[in-house]
Amino acid sequence: MTRAAVPDYLQQIDYAKASPGMRFGVFLRIWQDRDWQKDEQALKQQNDPNLGLRQTATFNEVHKAMLQELNRRQQLVFDHAVPDYRSGMRIETKSTAPFMTGMGYEHPLENGFAFLNPYGLPYLPGSSIKGVLRRAAQELASGAWGDSFDWSEEKTYSSQTHRFSIMDILFGLEDSEENTCSALRGVLKFWDVYPRFSGNMQIEVMTPHHTDYYQNGKAPHDCGMPNPITSLSVPMDSHFCFHIQCDMNRLHRLAPDLAEDAKWQMLIEHAMNHASRWLGFGAKTSVGYGALRMDTKALQLRQAQNAKQEEEARLSQMSPFDRSFDILKKMVDEDRQKKYPEFMNKKTNAKLWEQLKQLVGMAVDESMQNKAKVRELFDEILKYLGVDSKSAAAKKLRSQLNG
């Protein structure tokens, strides 16, 4: 009779409290030992080949809370490490297919799975993300997929001794056999990803047919015995948040044009979109696993936040007068573009008039050139609002400006 080479006390362990990674890697129940069974029902469970996987795939509330907290902590650390949006980007995605990772790891079930130690939770290593995005960049640069989105292998940047492509600078370059001094560390750092999902993990089943033909060299026939192979996966509709950090000092030195206006983020965004749709992340991507869809709402929100930071940085470098003038002019220009302009309503244009009064008061001590700018803007606002230039309010402001 087969006897499991494990201590007897393992049968007393509460598997529900152990992490999924611990259940899969250490406590997996795959041994058929009838001495452990006390009744017929327990015997049927022990003979179930997927019992161990089902136990591993089960996530209790503790594991779900741990996964959520791990993601929250990662976002806080990233926000602290990347205070400037130019030096990092966060990409929210949602899986459109089950996700597998770490299937090449050694395991008694032949198909392993990547669990993050010491938490025992599923994750996608940053090194895998880097490899997939580099492959996506190469495919876009080849032109075989239509628009290259500025990815190119022909455009190079020169250093003191070598020339590097965009891919080399962003992702890095290893030593070649011809030149062992050509290595370059990429400016991008890809953080690990922890998928967020509700419910439990899933059990996937692959059933190879014609094993005798493929492995034993026998003639093909339709009488072979299929051999179902089970493995774990993260269910579809899971959320994947990618964090990418950039060494801006090195990027400014190696490729200044990629650092300007955070152009490197646009390149990565297009590579991410291509990889999510056509390459996939993790294992078994050739049969549809690991496909993602970028969250367009989160992307638009990020772009809006970046534009706001850019605008705040630009305004902070202006003088108080220039800043007030720029804000007022922008208020009028944006209001003109609205389908239902706000300041055309007499009840809501008080904010605009208040800003105009403040600017006129500041222009009193300014140069003649700045006063002329304010007069021009003043006349433009009166015309836009349809206010009579001979009204008492308009005369009062004009006299203050001319005085």
Side-chain angles (χ1 to χ4, degrees):
M1 180 179 297
T2 304
R3 181 71 180 179
V6 293
D8 291 338
Y9 62 78
L10 283 182
Q11 58 184 313
Q12 305 298 332
I13 291 179
D14 186 357
Y15 288 84
K17 294 183 179 180
S19 68
M22 184 64 73
R23 288 185 237 147
F24 184 73
V26 179
F27 299 147
L28 186 65
R29 293 183 174 179
I30 58 175
W31 295 279
Q32 306 298 321
D33 190 346
R34 295 174 182 269
D35 290 346
W36 286 12
Q37 307 308 320
K38 303 300 181 182
D39 52 45
E40 184 176 355
Q41 181 65 25
L43 180 60
K44 290 181 180 180
Q45 291 181 355
Q46 187 65 26
N47 288 333
D48 182 359
N50 294 327
L51 174 63
L53 279 183
R54 282 208 305 271
Q55 291 175 334
T56 301
T58 302
F59 270 56
N60 59 33
E61 294 303 320
V62 174
H63 304 141
K64 294 176 183 178
M66 187 183 300
L67 189 59
Q68 183 176 359
E69 182 64 22
L70 193 61
N71 275 278
R72 189 188 71 85
R73 186 175 66 179
Q74 185 185 55
Q75 293 188 13
L76 291 176
V77 173
F78 184 80
D79 292 339
H80 179 76
V82 185
D84 184 2
Y85 78 92
R86 299 179 187 85
S87 59
M89 61 186 304
R90 179 185 291 118
I91 303 177
E92 291 279 356
T93 64
K94 191 175 183 180
S95 62
T96 58
F99 166 79
M100 294 181 178
T101 179
M103 291 192 69
Y105 294 172
E106 293 185 357
H107 194 269
L109 296 182
E110 297 185 14
N111 293 320
F113 197 90
F115 289 98
L116 178 66
N117 289 326
Y119 307 101
L121 299 173
Y123 82 113
L124 176 62
S127 57
S128 298
I129 301 170
K130 178 179 179 180
V132 174
L133 290 184
R134 178 160 197 156
R135 178 58 183 169
Q138 291 172 344
E139 290 190 358
L140 291 176
S142 68
W145 295 80
D147 194 344
S148 65
F149 298 105
D150 293 333
W151 283 104
S152 173
E153 292 183 344
E154 297 179 356
K155 183 178 181 180
T156 58
Y157 300 85
S158 59
S159 64
Q160 295 180 351
T161 56
H162 297 88
R163 298 189 68 84
F164 300 102
S165 67
I166 298 177
M167 274 78 76
D168 297 335
I169 292 175
L170 295 182
F171 300 106
L173 178 66
E174 295 183 356
D175 288 332
S176 62
E177 296 181 0
E178 296 79 10
N179 191 342
T180 58
C181 298
S182 61
L184 178 70
R185 179 170 59 87
V187 300
L188 299 184
K189 180 187 297 183
F190 299 87
W191 292 28
D192 296 339
V193 173
Y194 317 120
R196 307 189 307 272
F197 54 94
S198 59
N200 302 319
M201 297 179 67
Q202 294 179 344
I203 299 177
E204 302 292 328
V205 180
M206 295 171 286
T207 308
H209 296 268
H210 312 298
T211 305
D212 290 338
Y213 170 68
Y214 286 111
Q215 296 184 1
N216 302 327
K218 297 183 179 180
H221 55 85
D222 294 331
C223 301
M225 296 294 292
N227 180 31
I229 300 175
T230 56
S231 58
L232 289 173
S233 73
V234 175
M236 63 181 297
D237 293 332
S238 300
H239 295 269
F240 292 74
C241 185
F242 294 79
H243 294 86
I244 305 172
Q245 188 176 358
C246 180
D247 187 341
M248 293 300 294
N249 292 330
R250 294 185 61 235
L251 186 60
H252 275 290
R253 187 171 68 252
L254 294 172
D257 63 319
L258 298 183
E260 185 179 357
D261 297 329
K263 183 181 178 181
W264 70 270
Q265 294 186 0
M266 297 171 52
L267 293 171
I268 292 298
E269 185 177 311
H270 291 305
M272 185 70 190
N273 186 49
H274 180 79
S276 300
R277 296 176 59 191
W278 301 107
L279 297 180
F281 292 85
K284 294 295 180 181
T285 56
S286 60
V287 290
Y289 287 91
L292 305 175
R293 181 180 64 251
M294 295 179 63
D295 189 340
T296 55
K297 291 184 178 180
L299 182 61
Q300 292 172 357
L301 178 61
R302 178 179 64 82
Q303 292 174 344
Q305 292 174 344
N306 293 348
K308 182 179 179 181
Q309 291 185 18
E310 185 73 23
E311 179 67 11
E312 291 176 351
R314 186 181 69 86
L315 293 176
S316 64
Q317 298 176 357
M318 293 182 175
S319 66
F321 170 80
D322 290 336
R323 183 164 55 250
S324 181
F325 180 88
D326 189 87
I327 291 175
L328 181 58
K329 183 171 179 56
K330 190 173 182 180
M331 288 171 60
V332 176
D333 292 340
E334 290 180 350
D335 194 64
R336 279 176 172 169
Q337 298 176 3
K338 295 179 180 179
K339 186 175 181 180
Y340 303 102
E342 177 184 0
F343 297 138
M344 296 299 292
N345 188 334
K346 294 182 179 180
K347 295 182 179 180
T348 58
N349 64 11
K351 181 179 180 181
L352 182 63
W353 274 104
E354 188 64 29
Q355 192 75 21
L356 182 58
K357 290 179 182 179
Q358 180 180 353
L359 180 63
V360 170
M362 297 175 66
V364 172
D365 299 327
E366 291 292 325
S367 63
M368 295 300 296
Q369 182 180 1
N370 287 340
K371 287 183 179 180
K373 287 171 53 178
V374 176
R375 290 193 192 99
E376 182 179 355
L377 180 60
F378 177 77
D379 293 337
E380 179 183 345
I381 293 177
L382 291 182
K383 183 178 179 180
Y384 175 63
L385 296 178
V387 178
D388 186 2
S389 59
K390 297 181 180 181
S391 64
K395 287 183 177 180
K396 182 177 180 180
L397 282 180
R398 188 181 294 277
S399 62
Q400 184 180 353
L401 185 62
N402 294 332

